[in-house]
Amino acid sequence: MHQKNRFAAICATVLVAAALLFSVFFIALETNHNCSREHCAICHQIQTCQTLLSQLSSACAKPAGLGVLCFFALLLILRRPYVSVASSLVSQKVKLLN
């Protein structure tokens, strides 16, 4: 069962990444098309791709930001304080008999 969930997650990730990649390329290729202004199919597709990109970027930005915040919080919690103790003759217990 665990293998099926992993495979489904990998497939979903690949499909989302492909949708993002192809949307960006489609918008870049079709920006200077011959537009008929009214009911232009290419303009509609560009708008759909822009909507997809904005929705996916906002959906991915929140968990990524939360992950970064948790990572830095974990670093602060697990950080060991570094105490620098200067070595002196007294701390080394050297007898000063001169």
Side-chain angles (χ1 to χ4, degrees):
M1 188 68 179
H2 183 66
Q3 292 291 337
K4 288 181 182 180
N5 289 341
R6 182 179 292 173
F7 180 72
I10 290 172
C11 286
T13 303
V14 168
L15 289 174
V16 168
L20 284 172
L21 186 67
F22 290 127
S23 293
V24 168
F25 283 132
F26 180 78
I27 291 171
L29 289 175
E30 297 296 332
T31 52
N32 294 325
H33 68 281
N34 292 330
C35 187
S36 62
R37 298 281 180 211
E38 192 173 321
H39 304 293
C40 181
I42 295 175
C43 288
H44 177 69
Q45 288 298 322
I46 289 174
Q47 185 179 12
T48 303
C49 290
Q50 287 174 338
T51 304
L52 173 73
L53 290 173
S54 68
Q55 287 174 350
L56 288 178
S57 66
S58 66
C60 294
K62 291 177 185 176
L66 184 62
V68 169
L69 182 65
C70 289
F71 176 74
F72 283 117
L74 187 65
L75 281 180
L76 287 174
I77 292 170
L78 297 178
R79 185 183 71 158
R80 294 183 183 168
Y82 178 72
V83 178
S84 175
V85 178
S87 179
S88 68
L89 294 175
V90 175
S91 68
Q92 294 177 4
K93 297 183 180 179
V94 175
K95 291 185 180 182
L96 302 173
L97 297 175
N98 289 344

Coordinates of all heavy atoms in Angstrom, one line a residue:
M1 N 0.8 -1.2 0.0 CA 0.0 0.0 0.0 C 0.9 1.3 0.0 O 0.5 2.2 -0.6 CB -0.9 -0.1 1.2 CG -2.0 1.0 1.3 SD -3.1 0.7 -0.1 CE -4.2 2.0 0.2
H2 N 2.0 1.2 0.7 CA 2.9 2.3 0.8 C 3.5 2.7 -0.5 O 3.7 3.8 -0.9 CB 4.0 2.0 1.9 CG 4.9 3.2 2.1 ND1 4.4 4.4 2.7 CD2 6.2 3.4 1.8 CE1 5.5 5.2 2.7 NE2 6.5 4.6 2.2
Q3 N 3.8 1.6 -1.3 CA 4.4 1.8 -2.6 C 3.4 2.5 -3.6 O 3.8 3.3 -4.4 CB 4.8 0.5 -3.2 CG 6.0 -0.1 -2.5 CD 7.3 0.6 -2.7 OE1 7.4 1.4 -3.7 NE2 8.2 0.5 -1.8
K4 N 2.1 2.2 -3.5 CA 1.1 2.8 -4.3 C 0.9 4.3 -4.0 O 0.8 5.1 -4.9 CB -0.3 2.1 -4.1 CG -0.3 0.7 -4.8 CD -1.6 0.1 -4.6 CE -1.7 -1.3 -5.1 NZ -3.0 -2.0 -5.0
N5 N 1.0 4.6 -2.7 CA 0.9 6.0 -2.3 C 2.1 6.8 -2.8 O 1.9 8.0 -3.3 CB 0.8 6.2 -0.8 CG -0.6 5.7 -0.3 OD1 -1.5 5.6 -1.0 ND2 -0.6 5.4 1.0
R6 N 3.3 6.2 -2.7 CA 4.5 6.9 -3.2 C 4.4 7.1 -4.7 O 4.8 8.2 -5.2 CB 5.7 6.1 -2.8 CG 7.0 6.7 -3.2 CD 8.2 5.9 -2.8 NE 8.3 5.9 -1.4 CZ 9.1 5.2 -0.7 NH1 10.0 4.4 -1.3 NH2 9.2 5.3 0.6
F7 N 4.0 6.1 -5.4 CA 3.9 6.2 -6.9 C 2.9 7.3 -7.3 O 3.1 8.0 -8.2 CB 3.5 4.8 -7.5 CG 3.4 4.8 -9.0 CD1 4.5 4.9 -9.8 CD2 2.1 4.8 -9.6 CE1 4.4 5.0 -11.1 CE2 2.0 4.8 -11.0 CZ 3.2 4.9 -11.7
A8 N 1.8 7.3 -6.6 CA 0.7 8.3 -6.9 C 1.3 9.7 -6.6 O 1.0 10.7 -7.4 CB -0.5 8.1 -6.1
A9 N 2.0 9.9 -5.5 CA 2.6 11.2 -5.2 C 3.6 11.6 -6.2 O 3.7 12.8 -6.6 CB 3.2 11.1 -3.8
I10 N 4.4 10.7 -6.7 CA 5.4 11.0 -7.7 C 4.8 11.4 -9.0 O 5.1 12.3 -9.7 CB 6.4 9.8 -7.9 CG1 7.3 9.7 -6.6 CG2 7.3 10.0 -9.1 CD1 8.2 8.5 -6.6
C11 N 3.7 10.6 -9.4 CA 3.0 10.9 -10.6 C 2.3 12.3 -10.6 O 2.4 13.1 -11.5 CB 1.9 9.9 -10.9 SG 2.6 8.3 -11.5
A12 N 1.7 12.6 -9.4 CA 1.1 13.9 -9.3 C 2.1 15.1 -9.3 O 1.9 16.1 -9.9 CB 0.3 14.0 -7.9
T13 N 3.3 14.8 -8.7 CA 4.3 15.8 -8.8 C 4.8 16.1 -10.2 O 5.0 17.2 -10.6 CB 5.5 15.4 -7.9 OG1 5.0 15.2 -6.5 CG2 6.6 16.4 -7.8
V14 N 5.0 15.0 -10.9 CA 5.5 15.1 -12.3 C 4.5 15.8 -13.2 O 4.8 16.7 -14.0 CB 5.8 13.7 -12.9 CG1 6.0 13.8 -14.4 CG2 7.1 13.2 -12.2
L15 N 3.2 15.5 -13.0 CA 2.1 16.2 -13.8 C 2.0 17.6 -13.4 O 1.8 18.5 -14.4 CB 0.8 15.5 -13.5 CG 0.7 14.1 -14.1 CD1 -0.6 13.4 -13.7 CD2 0.8 14.1 -15.7
V16 N 2.1 18.0 -12.2 CA 2.1 19.4 -11.8 C 3.3 20.2 -12.4 O 3.1 21.3 -12.9 CB 2.0 19.6 -10.3 CG1 2.2 21.0 -9.9 CG2 0.6 19.1 -9.8
A17 N 4.5 19.6 -12.3 CA 5.7 20.2 -12.8 C 5.6 20.4 -14.3 O 5.9 21.4 -14.9 CB 6.9 19.4 -12.4
A18 N 5.0 19.4 -15.0 CA 4.8 19.4 -16.5 C 3.8 20.5 -16.8 O 4.0 21.3 -17.8 CB 4.4 18.1 -17.0
A19 N 2.8 20.6 -16.1 CA 1.8 21.7 -16.3 C 2.4 23.1 -16.2 O 2.1 24.0 -17.0 CB 0.6 21.5 -15.4
L20 N 3.2 23.3 -15.1 CA 3.8 24.5 -14.9 C 4.8 24.8 -16.1 O 4.8 26.0 -16.6 CB 4.6 24.5 -13.6 CG 3.8 24.7 -12.3 CD1 4.7 24.4 -11.1 CD2 3.2 26.0 -12.3
L21 N 5.6 23.9 -16.4 CA 6.6 24.1 -17.5 C 6.0 24.4 -18.8 O 6.3 25.3 -19.5 CB 7.5 22.8 -17.6 CG 8.7 22.9 -18.5 CD1 9.7 23.9 -18.0 CD2 9.3 21.5 -18.7
F22 N 5.0 23.6 -19.2 CA 4.3 23.8 -20.5 C 3.5 25.1 -20.5 O 3.4 25.7 -21.6 CB 3.5 22.6 -20.9 CG 4.3 21.4 -21.2 CD1 4.0 20.2 -20.7 CD2 5.3 21.5 -22.2 CE1 4.8 19.1 -21.0 CE2 6.1 20.4 -22.5 CZ 5.8 19.2 -21.9
S23 N 2.9 25.5 -19.4 CA 2.2 26.8 -19.3 C 3.1 27.9 -19.6 O 2.8 28.9 -20.3 CB 1.5 26.9 -18.0 OG 0.5 26.0 -17.8
V24 N 4.3 27.9 -18.9 CA 5.3 29.0 -19.1 C 5.7 29.0 -20.6 O 5.8 30.1 -21.2 CB 6.5 28.8 -18.1 CG1 7.6 29.7 -18.5 CG2 6.0 29.0 -16.7
F25 N 6.1 27.9 -21.2 CA 6.5 27.9 -22.5 C 5.4 28.3 -23.5 O 5.7 29.0 -24.5 CB 7.0 26.5 -23.0 CG 8.4 26.2 -22.4 CD1 8.6 25.0 -21.8 CD2 9.4 27.1 -22.6 CE1 9.9 24.7 -21.3 CE2 10.7 26.8 -22.1 CZ 10.9 25.6 -21.5
F26 N 4.2 27.9 -23.3 CA 3.1 28.3 -24.1 C 2.9 29.9 -24.1 O 2.7 30.5 -25.1 CB 1.8 27.6 -23.7 CG 0.6 28.0 -24.6 CD1 0.5 27.5 -25.8 CD2 -0.3 28.9 -24.2 CE1 -0.6 27.8 -26.6 CE2 -1.4 29.3 -24.9 CZ -1.5 28.7 -26.2
I27 N 2.9 30.4 -22.9 CA 2.8 31.9 -22.8 C 3.9 32.6 -23.5 O 3.7 33.6 -24.2 CB 2.7 32.3 -21.3 CG1 1.4 31.8 -20.7 CG2 2.8 33.8 -21.1 CD1 1.3 31.9 -19.2
A28 N 5.1 32.1 -23.3 CA 6.3 32.7 -23.9 C 6.2 32.6 -25.4 O 6.6 33.6 -26.1 CB 7.6 32.1 -23.4
L29 N 5.8 31.5 -26.0 CA 5.7 31.4 -27.4 C 4.6 32.1 -28.1 O 4.7 32.6 -29.2 CB 5.6 29.9 -27.8 CG 6.8 29.0 -27.5 CD1 6.5 27.5 -27.8 CD2 8.0 29.5 -28.4
E30 N 3.5 32.3 -27.4 CA 2.3 32.9 -28.0 C 2.0 34.3 -27.6 O 0.9 34.8 -27.9 CB 1.0 32.0 -27.7 CG 1.1 30.6 -28.2 CD 1.1 30.6 -29.8 OE1 0.6 31.5 -30.4 OE2 1.7 29.6 -30.3
T31 N 3.0 35.0 -27.0 CA 2.7 36.4 -26.6 C 2.6 37.3 -27.8 O 1.8 38.3 -27.7 CB 3.9 36.9 -25.7 OG1 5.1 36.7 -26.4 CG2 3.9 36.2 -24.4
N32 N 3.2 37.1 -28.9 CA 3.1 37.9 -30.1 C 2.3 37.3 -31.2 O 2.7 37.3 -32.4 CB 4.5 38.3 -30.6 CG 5.3 39.1 -29.6 OD1 4.7 40.0 -28.9 ND2 6.6 38.9 -29.5
H33 N 1.2 36.7 -30.9 CA 0.4 36.0 -31.9 C -0.6 37.1 -32.6 O -0.7 38.2 -32.1 CB -0.5 34.9 -31.3 CG -1.6 35.4 -30.4 ND1 -1.3 35.8 -29.1 CD2 -2.9 35.6 -30.5 CE1 -2.4 36.2 -28.5 NE2 -3.4 36.1 -29.4
N34 N -1.1 36.7 -33.7 CA -2.1 37.6 -34.4 C -3.4 37.4 -33.8 O -4.2 36.5 -34.0 CB -2.1 37.2 -35.9 CG -0.8 37.5 -36.6 OD1 -0.1 38.4 -36.3 ND2 -0.5 36.7 -37.6
C35 N -3.8 38.4 -33.0 CA -5.0 38.4 -32.2 C -6.2 38.9 -33.0 O -6.1 40.0 -33.6 CB -4.8 39.1 -30.9 SG -6.2 39.0 -29.8
S36 N -7.3 38.2 -33.0 CA -8.5 38.7 -33.6 C -9.4 39.5 -32.7 O -10.5 39.9 -33.0 CB -9.3 37.5 -34.1 OG -9.7 36.7 -33.1
R37 N -8.8 39.8 -31.5 CA -9.5 40.6 -30.4 C -10.7 39.9 -29.8 O -10.8 39.8 -28.6 CB -9.8 42.0 -30.9 CG -8.6 42.8 -31.3 CD -7.9 43.3 -30.1 NE -6.7 44.1 -30.5 CZ -5.6 44.2 -29.9 NH1 -5.5 43.6 -28.7 NH2 -4.6 44.8 -30.3
E38 N -11.7 39.6 -30.6 CA -12.9 39.0 -30.1 C -12.9 37.5 -30.2 O -12.7 36.9 -31.2 CB -14.1 39.6 -30.9 CG -15.4 39.4 -30.3 CD -16.5 40.1 -31.0 OE1 -16.3 41.2 -31.5 OE2 -17.6 39.5 -31.1
H39 N -13.1 36.9 -29.1 CA -13.2 35.4 -29.0 C -11.9 34.8 -29.5 O -11.9 33.8 -30.2 CB -14.4 34.9 -29.7 CG -15.7 35.4 -29.3 ND1 -16.2 35.2 -28.0 CD2 -16.5 36.3 -29.9 CE1 -17.4 35.9 -27.9 NE2 -17.6 36.5 -29.1
C40 N -10.7 35.3 -29.1 CA -9.5 34.8 -29.5 C -9.1 33.6 -28.6 O -9.0 33.7 -27.4 CB -8.4 35.8 -29.4 SG -6.7 35.2 -29.9
A41 N -9.0 32.4 -29.2 CA -8.7 31.2 -28.5 C -7.4 31.2 -27.8 O -7.2 30.7 -26.7 CB -8.8 30.0 -29.4
I42 N -6.4 31.8 -28.5 CA -5.0 31.8 -27.9 C -5.0 32.7 -26.7 O -4.4 32.4 -25.7 CB -4.0 32.3 -29.0 CG1 -3.9 31.2 -30.1 CG2 -2.6 32.5 -28.4 CD1 -3.1 31.6 -31.2
C43 N -5.7 33.9 -26.7 CA -5.7 34.8 -25.6 C -6.4 34.1 -24.4 O -6.0 34.2 -23.2 CB -6.5 36.1 -25.9 SG -5.5 37.1 -27.0
H44 N -7.5 33.3 -24.7 CA -8.2 32.6 -23.7 C -7.3 31.5 -23.0 O -7.2 31.3 -21.8 CB -9.4 31.9 -24.2 CG -10.2 31.1 -23.2 ND1 -10.8 31.6 -22.2 CD2 -10.3 29.7 -23.1 CE1 -11.4 30.6 -21.4 NE2 -11.1 29.5 -22.0
Q45 N -6.5 30.8 -23.9 CA -5.5 29.8 -23.3 C -4.4 30.5 -22.5 O -4.0 29.9 -21.5 CB -4.9 29.0 -24.5 CG -5.9 28.0 -25.1 CD -6.4 27.0 -24.1 OE1 -5.7 26.5 -23.3 NE2 -7.7 26.7 -24.2
I46 N -4.0 31.6 -23.0 CA -2.9 32.3 -22.2 C -3.5 32.7 -20.8 O -2.8 32.6 -19.8 CB -2.4 33.5 -23.0 CG1 -1.6 33.1 -24.2 CG2 -1.6 34.5 -22.1 CD1 -1.1 34.2 -25.1
Q47 N -4.7 33.2 -20.8 CA -5.3 33.6 -19.5 C -5.5 32.4 -18.6 O -5.3 32.5 -17.4 CB -6.7 34.3 -19.8 CG -7.3 34.8 -18.5 CD -8.7 35.5 -18.8 OE1 -9.2 35.4 -19.9 NE2 -9.2 36.1 -17.9
T48 N -5.9 31.3 -19.2 CA -6.0 30.0 -18.4 C -4.7 29.6 -17.9 O -4.6 29.2 -16.7 CB -6.6 28.9 -19.3 OG1 -7.9 29.3 -19.8 CG2 -6.8 27.6 -18.5
C49 N -3.6 29.7 -18.7 CA -2.3 29.3 -18.2 C -1.8 30.3 -17.1 O -1.2 29.8 -16.1 CB -1.3 29.3 -19.3 SG -1.5 28.0 -20.5
Q50 N -2.1 31.5 -17.2 CA -1.7 32.5 -16.2 C -2.5 32.2 -14.9 O -1.9 32.3 -13.8 CB -2.0 33.9 -16.7 CG -1.0 34.4 -17.7 CD -1.3 35.8 -18.3 OE1 -2.5 36.2 -18.2 NE2 -0.3 36.4 -18.8
T51 N -3.7 31.9 -15.0 CA -4.5 31.5 -13.8 C -3.9 30.3 -13.1 O -3.8 30.2 -11.9 CB -6.0 31.3 -14.2 OG1 -6.5 32.4 -14.9 CG2 -6.8 31.0 -13.0
L52 N -3.6 29.3 -13.9 CA -3.0 28.0 -13.4 C -1.7 28.4 -12.7 O -1.5 27.9 -11.6 CB -2.8 27.0 -14.5 CG -2.0 25.8 -14.1 CD1 -2.9 24.9 -13.3 CD2 -1.5 25.1 -15.3
L53 N -0.9 29.2 -13.3 CA 0.4 29.5 -12.7 C 0.2 30.3 -11.4 O 0.9 30.0 -10.4 CB 1.3 30.3 -13.6 CG 1.8 29.6 -14.8 CD1 2.5 30.5 -15.8 CD2 2.8 28.5 -14.4
S54 N -0.7 31.2 -11.3 CA -0.9 32.0 -10.1 C -1.5 31.1 -9.0 O -1.1 31.2 -7.8 CB -1.8 33.2 -10.4 OG -3.1 32.8 -10.7
Q55 N -2.4 30.2 -9.3 CA -3.0 29.3 -8.3 C -1.9 28.3 -7.8 O -1.9 28.1 -6.6 CB -4.2 28.6 -8.9 CG -5.4 29.4 -9.1 CD -6.5 28.7 -9.8 OE1 -6.3 27.6 -10.3 NE2 -7.7 29.3 -9.8
L56 N -1.1 27.7 -8.7 CA -0.1 26.8 -8.2 C 1.0 27.5 -7.4 O 1.5 26.9 -6.5 CB 0.4 26.0 -9.4 CG -0.5 25.0 -10.0 CD1 0.1 24.3 -11.2 CD2 -0.9 23.9 -9.0
S57 N 1.3 28.7 -7.8 CA 2.4 29.3 -7.1 C 2.0 29.7 -5.7 O 2.7 29.7 -4.7 CB 2.9 30.6 -7.9 OG 1.9 31.5 -8.0
S58 N 0.7 30.2 -5.6 CA 0.2 30.5 -4.2 C 0.0 29.3 -3.4 O 0.2 29.3 -2.2 CB -1.1 31.3 -4.3 OG -2.1 30.6 -4.9
A59 N -0.4 28.2 -4.0 CA -0.6 26.9 -3.3 C 0.8 26.3 -2.8 O 0.8 25.7 -1.8 CB -1.3 25.9 -4.2
C60 N 1.8 26.6 -3.6 CA 3.1 26.0 -3.2 C 3.9 27.0 -2.3 O 4.8 26.5 -1.6 CB 4.0 25.8 -4.5 SG 3.3 24.5 -5.5
A61 N 3.6 28.2 -2.4 CA 4.3 29.2 -1.6 C 4.1 29.1 -0.1 O 5.0 29.2 0.7 CB 4.0 30.6 -2.0
K62 N 2.8 28.8 0.3 CA 2.5 28.7 1.7 C 3.2 27.5 2.4 O 3.8 27.7 3.4 CB 1.0 28.7 1.9 CG 0.3 30.0 1.5 CD -1.2 29.9 1.6 CE -1.8 31.2 1.2 NZ -3.3 31.1 1.2
P63 N 3.1 26.3 1.8 CA 3.8 25.2 2.5 C 5.3 25.4 2.5 O 6.0 25.0 3.4 CB 3.4 24.0 1.7 CG 2.2 24.3 1.0 CD 2.3 25.8 0.8
A64 N 5.9 26.0 1.4 CA 7.3 26.2 1.4 C 7.7 27.2 2.4 O 8.8 27.0 3.1 CB 7.7 26.7 0.0
G65 N 7.0 28.3 2.5 CA 7.3 29.3 3.6 C 7.2 28.7 5.0 O 8.0 29.0 5.8
L66 N 6.2 27.9 5.2 CA 6.0 27.2 6.5 C 7.2 26.2 6.8 O 7.7 26.1 7.9 CB 4.7 26.5 6.5 CG 4.3 25.8 7.9 CD1 4.2 26.9 9.0 CD2 3.0 25.0 7.7
G67 N 7.6 25.5 5.7 CA 8.7 24.6 5.9 C 10.0 25.4 6.2 O 10.8 24.9 7.1
V68 N 10.3 26.5 5.6 CA 11.5 27.3 5.9 C 11.4 27.8 7.3 O 12.4 27.8 8.1 CB 11.6 28.4 4.9 CG1 12.7 29.4 5.3 CG2 12.0 27.8 3.5
L69 N 10.2 28.3 7.7 CA 10.0 28.8 9.1 C 10.3 27.7 10.1 O 11.0 27.9 11.1 CB 8.6 29.4 9.2 CG 8.3 30.0 10.5 CD1 9.2 31.3 10.8 CD2 6.8 30.4 10.6
C70 N 9.8 26.5 9.9 CA 10.0 25.4 10.8 C 11.4 25.0 10.8 O 11.9 24.7 11.9 CB 9.1 24.2 10.4 SG 7.3 24.5 10.7
F71 N 12.1 25.0 9.7 CA 13.5 24.7 9.7 C 14.3 25.6 10.5 O 15.2 25.2 11.3 CB 14.0 24.7 8.2 CG 15.5 24.4 8.1 CD1 16.0 23.2 8.3 CD2 16.3 25.5 7.8 CE1 17.3 22.9 8.2 CE2 17.7 25.2 7.7 CZ 18.2 23.9 7.9
F72 N 14.1 26.9 10.4 CA 14.9 27.9 11.2 C 14.5 27.8 12.6 O 15.3 28.0 13.5 CB 14.7 29.3 10.6 CG 15.5 29.5 9.4 CD1 14.9 29.8 8.2 CD2 16.9 29.4 9.4 CE1 15.7 30.0 7.0 CE2 17.7 29.7 8.3 CZ 17.1 29.9 7.1
A73 N 13.2 27.5 12.9 CA 12.8 27.4 14.3 C 13.5 26.2 15.0 O 14.0 26.2 16.1 CB 11.3 27.2 14.4
L74 N 13.6 25.1 14.2 CA 14.3 23.9 14.7 C 15.8 24.2 14.9 O 16.4 23.7 15.9 CB 14.1 22.8 13.7 CG 14.6 21.4 14.1 CD1 13.8 20.9 15.3 CD2 14.5 20.4 12.9
L75 N 16.4 25.0 14.0 CA 17.8 25.3 14.2 C 18.0 26.1 15.4 O 19.0 25.9 16.2 CB 18.3 26.1 13.0 CG 18.7 25.3 11.7 CD1 19.1 26.3 10.6 CD2 19.7 24.3 12.0
L76 N 17.1 27.1 15.7 CA 17.2 27.9 16.9 C 17.0 27.0 18.2 O 17.7 27.2 19.2 CB 16.2 29.0 16.9 CG 16.5 30.1 15.9 CD1 15.3 31.1 15.9 CD2 17.8 30.8 16.3
I77 N 16.1 26.1 18.1 CA 15.9 25.2 19.3 C 17.1 24.3 19.6 O 17.5 24.1 20.7 CB 14.6 24.4 19.1 CG1 13.4 25.3 19.2 CG2 14.4 23.3 20.2 CD1 12.1 24.7 18.8
L78 N 17.6 23.7 18.5 CA 18.6 22.7 18.7 C 20.0 23.3 18.7 O 21.0 22.5 18.9 CB 18.6 21.7 17.5 CG 17.3 20.8 17.5 CD1 17.3 19.9 16.3 CD2 17.1 20.0 18.8
R79 N 20.1 24.6 18.6 CA 21.4 25.2 18.5 C 22.1 25.1 19.9 O 21.5 25.4 20.9 CB 21.3 26.7 18.1 CG 22.6 27.4 18.0 CD 22.4 28.8 17.7 NE 21.8 29.4 18.9 CZ 21.9 30.7 19.1 NH1 22.4 31.5 18.2 NH2 21.4 31.2 20.2
R80 N 23.3 24.7 19.9 CA 24.0 24.6 21.2 C 24.7 25.9 21.4 O 25.4 26.4 20.5 CB 25.0 23.5 21.2 CG 24.4 22.1 21.1 CD 25.4 21.1 21.1 NE 24.8 19.8 21.0 CZ 25.4 18.7 20.8 NH1 26.8 18.7 20.6 NH2 24.8 17.5 20.7
P81 N 24.6 26.5 22.5 CA 25.3 27.8 22.8 C 26.8 27.6 22.8 O 27.3 26.6 23.4 CB 24.8 28.3 24.1 CG 24.2 27.1 24.8 CD 23.8 26.1 23.7
Y82 N 27.5 28.4 22.1 CA 29.0 28.3 22.1 C 29.5 29.2 23.1 O 29.3 30.4 23.0 CB 29.5 28.7 20.7 CG 31.0 28.7 20.6 CD1 31.7 27.5 20.5 CD2 31.7 29.8 20.5 CE1 33.0 27.4 20.4 CE2 33.1 29.8 20.4 CZ 33.7 28.6 20.4 OH 35.1 28.6 20.3
V83 N 30.2 28.7 24.1 CA 30.7 29.5 25.2 C 32.2 29.5 25.0 O 32.9 28.4 25.0 CB 30.4 28.9 26.5 CG1 31.0 29.7 27.6 CG2 28.9 28.8 26.7
S84 N 32.8 30.6 24.8 CA 34.2 30.8 24.6 C 34.8 31.1 26.0 O 34.6 32.1 26.6 CB 34.5 31.9 23.6 OG 35.9 32.0 23.5
V85 N 35.7 30.2 26.4 CA 36.4 30.4 27.7 C 37.8 30.6 27.4 O 38.5 29.8 26.8 CB 36.2 29.1 28.6 CG1 37.0 29.3 29.9 CG2 34.8 28.9 28.9
A86 N 38.3 31.8 27.8 CA 39.7 32.1 27.5 C 40.6 31.3 28.5 O 40.3 31.2 29.7 CB 39.9 33.6 27.7
S87 N 41.6 30.7 27.9 CA 42.5 30.0 28.7 C 43.5 30.9 29.4 O 44.1 31.8 28.7 CB 43.3 29.0 27.8 OG 44.2 28.3 28.6
S88 N 43.7 30.8 30.7 CA 44.6 31.6 31.4 C 45.5 30.7 32.3 O 45.3 29.5 32.4 CB 43.9 32.6 32.3 OG 43.3 32.0 33.3
L89 N 46.5 31.3 32.8 CA 47.4 30.6 33.7 C 46.7 30.1 34.9 O 47.0 29.0 35.4 CB 48.7 31.4 34.0 CG 49.6 31.8 32.9 CD1 50.7 32.7 33.4 CD2 50.2 30.6 32.2
V90 N 45.8 30.8 35.4 CA 45.1 30.4 36.6 C 44.2 29.2 36.3 O 44.0 28.3 37.1 CB 44.3 31.6 37.2 CG1 43.4 31.2 38.4 CG2 45.2 32.7 37.6
S91 N 43.5 29.3 35.1 CA 42.6 28.2 34.8 C 43.4 26.9 34.5 O 42.9 25.8 34.6 CB 41.7 28.6 33.6 OG 42.5 28.7 32.4
Q92 N 44.6 27.1 34.0 CA 45.5 25.9 33.8 C 46.2 25.5 35.1 O 46.9 24.5 35.0 CB 46.5 26.2 32.7 CG 45.9 26.5 31.4 CD 47.0 26.9 30.3 OE1 48.2 26.9 30.6 NE2 46.5 27.2 29.1
K93 N 46.0 26.2 36.2 CA 46.6 25.9 37.5 C 48.1 25.8 37.4 O 48.8 24.9 37.9 CB 46.0 24.6 38.0 CG 44.5 24.6 38.2 CD 44.0 23.4 38.9 CE 42.5 23.6 39.1 NZ 41.9 22.4 39.6
V94 N 48.7 26.8 36.8 CA 50.1 26.9 36.8 C 50.6 27.7 38.0 O 50.0 28.8 38.3 CB 50.6 27.7 35.5 CG1 52.1 27.9 35.5 CG2 50.2 26.9 34.3
K95 N 51.6 27.2 38.7 CA 52.1 27.8 39.9 C 53.1 29.0 39.4 O 54.0 28.7 38.7 CB 52.9 26.9 40.8 CG 51.9 25.9 41.4 CD 52.7 25.0 42.4 CE 51.8 24.0 43.1 NZ 52.5 23.2 44.0
L96 N 52.8 30.1 39.9 CA 53.7 31.3 39.6 C 54.6 31.5 40.8 O 54.2 32.3 41.7 CB 52.8 32.5 39.3 CG 51.8 32.3 38.1 CD1 50.9 33.5 38.1 CD2 52.6 32.1 36.8
L97 N 55.7 30.9 40.9 CA 56.6 31.0 42.0 C 57.7 32.0 41.9 O 58.4 32.2 42.8 CB 57.2 29.6 42.3 CG 56.2 28.5 42.6 CD1 56.9 27.2 42.8 CD2 55.5 28.8 43.9
N98 N 57.8 32.7 40.8 CA 58.9 33.6 40.6 C 58.6 34.9 41.3 O 57.9 35.7 41.3 CB 59.1 33.9 39.1 CG 59.8 32.7 38.5 OD1 60.3 31.8 39.2 ND2 59.8 32.6 37.2

